[in-house]
Amino acid sequence: MLPDVLKKLSELISFLPWIGEKTAVKLAFFLLKANPSYVQKFADTLRDIQAQLHECSTCHGLTDTKYHECAICRESLRKTEVLCIVEDYLDMVAIERLGIHKGRYHVLDGIISPLSGKSPKDLNMSDLMNRVSSEWIQEIILAFNPNIEWEATSLYIEELFSGKDIKITRLSRWLPNAGFIEYADEITLISAFRGRG
Ligand SMILES: [Zn+2]
């Protein structure tokens, strides 16, 4: 029933996570009616996004291709002795938005999961080991989603650095079951961060 172009655009939009079919049609309709200069800018940005972004060479967050390191790793005033480990870049963004962590980050890009065939070598684990041996780190914060799937990764990292004089902390058990860092409200996340141990 939809015109072909609107249908095609809706299908593309509904490919995105968290977007259902109905929302996809609404968004496609919004774009159809939007100011042409906005649509042009949107299309241009979308076209360039993958060419203009890459992984930070230190923390594996994202940065513009003109830099080797992301803005956080380049910031000279950040505490180098506190390293916050996260599953993915969105978790890093969620924590950074709180303004509570003054140290640096390390993005693992996944978790250890025998079921989906992910082992430590599939994650940014060797870079983490290199960082820990070359940087002066006093605390490692395991800022992971509080679910059972994360347990293996947490235990692996705790074991990995158990012989070193580094305090390894976890966020307090704060989120409801199956909660996720990127969806947590700020107050909950701040108290989880402050209550780590
Ligand atoms: Zn970085």
Side-chain angles (χ1 to χ4, degrees):
M1 157 213 159
L2 292 175
D4 286 349
V5 176
L6 202 55
K7 194 170 167 224
K8 198 170 161 187
L9 185 57
S10 305
E11 280 169 3
L12 284 172
I13 293 173
S14 67
F15 173 76
L16 298 170
W18 313 294
I19 308 265
E21 203 179 313
K22 261 175 153 178
T23 309
V25 174
K26 276 187 198 165
L27 289 173
F29 186 67
F30 168 81
L31 287 170
L32 182 77
K33 293 280 188 184
N35 187 316
S37 69
Y38 167 79
V39 176
Q40 188 61 52
K41 211 170 164 182
F42 189 81
D44 290 348
T45 307
L46 211 52
R47 194 192 53 230
D48 296 339
I49 192 167
Q50 289 184 322
Q52 294 189 359
L53 277 177
H54 73 153
E55 271 191 16
C56 167
S57 57
T58 302
C59 74
H60 295 278
L62 291 176
T63 187
D64 296 297
T65 40
K66 59 185 170 184
Y67 300 112
H68 286 300
E69 289 188 313
C70 70
I72 293 171
C73 290
R74 293 200 311 271
E75 212 180 292
S76 59
L77 292 174
R78 299 291 291 211
K79 284 184 180 175
T80 50
E81 66 269 31
V82 185
L83 188 65
C84 180
I85 304 181
V86 291
E87 175 180 355
D88 61 28
Y89 181 66
L90 289 181
D91 288 347
M92 176 174 165
V93 170
I95 293 168
E96 188 57 20
R97 207 177 274 142
L98 306 174
I100 194 174
H101 175 56
K102 305 294 179 200
R104 295 173 196 257
Y105 294 88
H106 192 83
V107 179
L108 281 186
D109 195 24
I111 57 172
I112 298 170
S113 168
L115 277 179
S116 48
K118 272 213 165 185
S119 72
K121 65 174 172 32
D122 302 310
L123 309 175
N124 296 319
M125 207 64 90
S126 59
D127 280 0
L128 173 65
M129 288 164 73
N130 290 339
R131 287 185 77 178
V132 171
S133 49
S134 63
E135 295 174 19
W136 182 63
I137 291 170
Q138 289 194 307
E139 181 184 357
I140 288 176
I141 304 168
L142 303 176
F144 300 150
N145 295 315
N147 53 43
I148 196 74
E149 288 188 328
W150 264 105
E151 197 55 27
T153 313
S154 300
L155 290 172
Y156 181 86
I157 294 173
E158 282 166 352
E159 179 67 24
L160 201 59
F161 301 122
S162 62
K164 294 187 181 283
D165 189 17
I166 299 172
K167 188 176 165 191
I168 300 181
T169 55
R170 298 186 185 197
L171 299 189
S172 62
R173 300 266 163 197
W174 35 276
L175 289 177
N177 286 340
F180 289 96
I181 287 175
E182 59 181 287
Y183 302 132
D185 67 84
E186 289 197 359
I187 294 169
T188 313
L189 202 45
I190 286 172
S191 59
F193 216 87
R194 291 210 171 116
R196 70 186 184 271

